[in-house]
């Protein structure tokens, strides 16, 4: 896994465009432009909780929300690239921990945050493995605010019961059989969203078929994406995709099909928990274990397919001091404990108030500390942005052609062209 913790995932519904931040607001307060893709239920609630703390602690600054809607941040990252090329960076921007940030680092877009880590003693409160993976040549370029799990199987207990399914499937083979049982009852076996959610599904199927060690080896030099194990995984993926419902606009409407009892299963990151669980003004207000339930995606029990949202300090930020003030809140125990329960994630810090993390989040905290780790593809841990773009292109072509052999060759070509 690349020794860098970028920031690549999680949410945002529909299309959007960031507003341009004015230089200052009324009363002479300086605005801090915070660029993210957190606009959907759950994620936007978490961002606003951190914003409140920031403005209370920094009365001379006001928060400017420059969020761009669109699942997994694809639209936001495209706009961000244009801003960086024009030398008009936001004061701070969201990114996925891991390989996703490599392009920004190599281009010289980011300041080294190691002095901030030293000032706040962050190496003492972040897990050592996390610090190692966000370090590049001994320097650290982002502040992780959370840990997410990608490999979560969300399901509707009532729909499963109607289909005669007594427990969540533990293996890929059981999953395929259960999808068939649901289809026979006239419900949607598996809900999916826009194209990126299909890549998200694919990474869980790869992990569930290959296991953690072979999965992680795919991102090392010389990996064989044309090998028979990958062929088996992609054939499993093809069988699963045969049971997918009509694609929804993004992950939220696909997840809602499960919560509303229209669909049985959805494989999505644990940001879906905030969407399911939060009250109706910020989520669906559904009841866990009744309206929705969860398990590791089939074949992946014991492995945490992880990703992390983090914030950066771009070179040339017009309000650098304000950006540093925001990073301090994002790094703080208070900020992370305000943000994560609403977002549906667990804190990057080791000293968080565990009493705040109940229900699904209690399971996540336990598994994070005991499971093997594997890095997400779609959400920027294991592959850089050009590699991800090539993978998404191969998946997009597969959605139209259903050609497994062409998909495998496309993935192999992507690895050859972009492997770090």
């Amino acid at each position: 896994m690349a020794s860098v913790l970028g920031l690549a995932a999680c949410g945002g519904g529909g299309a959007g465009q960031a507003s341009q931040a004015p230089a200052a607001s009324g009363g002479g307060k300086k605005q801090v432009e915070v660029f993210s893709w957190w606009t959907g239920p759950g994620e936007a609630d978490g961002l606003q909780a951190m914003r409140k703390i920031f403005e209370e602690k920094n009365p001379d600054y006001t928060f400017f929300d420059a969020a761009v809607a669109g699942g997994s941040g694809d639209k936001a990252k495209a706009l961000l690239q244009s801003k960086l090329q024009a030398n008009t960076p936001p004061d701070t921007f969201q990114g996925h921990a891991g390989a996703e940030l490599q392009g920004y680092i190599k281009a010289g877009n980011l300041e080294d945050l190691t002095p901030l880590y030293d000032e706040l003693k962050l190496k003492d409160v972040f897990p050592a493995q996390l610090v190692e993976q966000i370090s590049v040549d001994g320097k650290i370029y982002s502040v992780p605010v959370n840990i997410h799990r990608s490999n979560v199987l969300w399901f509707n207990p009532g729909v499963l019961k109607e289909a005669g399914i007594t427990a969540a499937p533990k293996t890929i083979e059981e999953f395929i059989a259960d999808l068939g049982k649901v289809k026979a009852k006239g419900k949607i076996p598996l809900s999916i969203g826009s194209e990126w959610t299909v890549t998200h599904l694919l990474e869980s199927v790869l992990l569930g078929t290959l296991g953690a060690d072979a999965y992680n080896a795919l991102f090392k030099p010389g990996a064989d994406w044309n090998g028979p194990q990958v062929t088996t995984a992609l054939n499993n993926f093809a069988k699963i995709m045969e049971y997918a419902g009509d694609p929804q606009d993004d992950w939220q409407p696909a997840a809602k099909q499960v919560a509303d009892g229209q669909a049985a299963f959805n494989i999505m990151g644990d940001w879906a928990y905030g969407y399911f669980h939060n009250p109706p003004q910020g989520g669906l207000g559904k009841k866990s274990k009744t309206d929705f339930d969860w398990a590791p995606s089939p074949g992946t029990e014991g492995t945490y397919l992880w990703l992390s949202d983090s914030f950066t300090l771009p070179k040339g930020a017009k309000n650098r001091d304000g950006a540093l003030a925001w990073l301090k809140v994002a790094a703080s125990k208070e900020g992370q404990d305000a943000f994560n329960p609403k977002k549906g994630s667990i804190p990057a810090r080791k000293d968080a108030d565990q009493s705040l993390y109940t229900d699904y989040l209690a399971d996540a905290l336990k598994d994070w500390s005991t499971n093997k780790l594997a890095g997400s593809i779609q959400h920027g841990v294991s592959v850089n942005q050009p590699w991800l773009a090539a993978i998404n292109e191969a998946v997009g072509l597969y959605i139209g052609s259903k050609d497994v052999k062409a998909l495998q060759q496309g993935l192999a070509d992507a690895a050859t062209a972009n492997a770090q």
Side-chain angles (χ1 to χ4, degrees), residues 229-249:
Q229 284 185 299
V230 176
T231 304
T232 298
L234 296 180
N235 282 325
N236 286 337
F237 172 70
K239 292 175 185 176
I240 290 167
M241 281 294 292
E242 290 176 3
Y243 293 99
D246 293 334
Q248 303 299 294
D249 289 340

Side-chain angles (χ1 to χ4, degrees), residues 110 242 281 291 302 387:
L110 301 181
E242 290 176 3
Q281 62 268 27
D291 299 318
W387 192 349

Side-chain angles (χ1 to χ4, degrees), residues 305-343:
L305 187 58
W306 73 275
L307 57 132
S308 171
D309 293 308
S310 62
F311 282 94
T312 63
L313 180 59
K315 289 183 179 178
K318 57 187 174 295
N319 189 350
R320 184 179 184 275
D321 289 345
L324 284 168
W326 169 255
L327 292 175
K328 289 179 180 180
V329 170
S332 71
K333 179 178 184 296
E334 182 181 6
Q336 295 203 5
D337 278 344
F339 173 79
N340 284 295
K342 293 181 181 296
K343 178 67 162 64

Side-chain angles (χ1 to χ4, degrees), residues 171-173 202-219 223-237 297-301 303 372 374 377 408 411:
T171 67
I172 295 286
E173 293 75 19
L202 173 61
E203 69 182 26
S204 267
V205 177
L206 284 169
L207 178 62
T209 305
L210 301 176
D213 293 341
Y215 172 92
N216 285 331
L218 288 176
F219 312 103
D224 184 10
W225 282 81
N226 270 318
Q229 284 185 299
V230 176
T231 304
T232 298
L234 296 180
N235 282 325
N236 286 337
F237 172 70
S297 59
T300 72
E301 187 172 4
T303 299
K372 288 185 175 182
I377 296 171
Q408 185 163 12
L411 296 174

Side-chain angles (χ1 to χ4, degrees), residues 37-55:
W37 51 85
W38 289 331
T39 63
E43 58 199 17
D45 302 310
L47 181 62
Q48 292 307 308
M50 276 203 299
R51 171 181 180 165
K52 181 179 179 182
I53 295 170
F54 170 76
E55 293 187 331

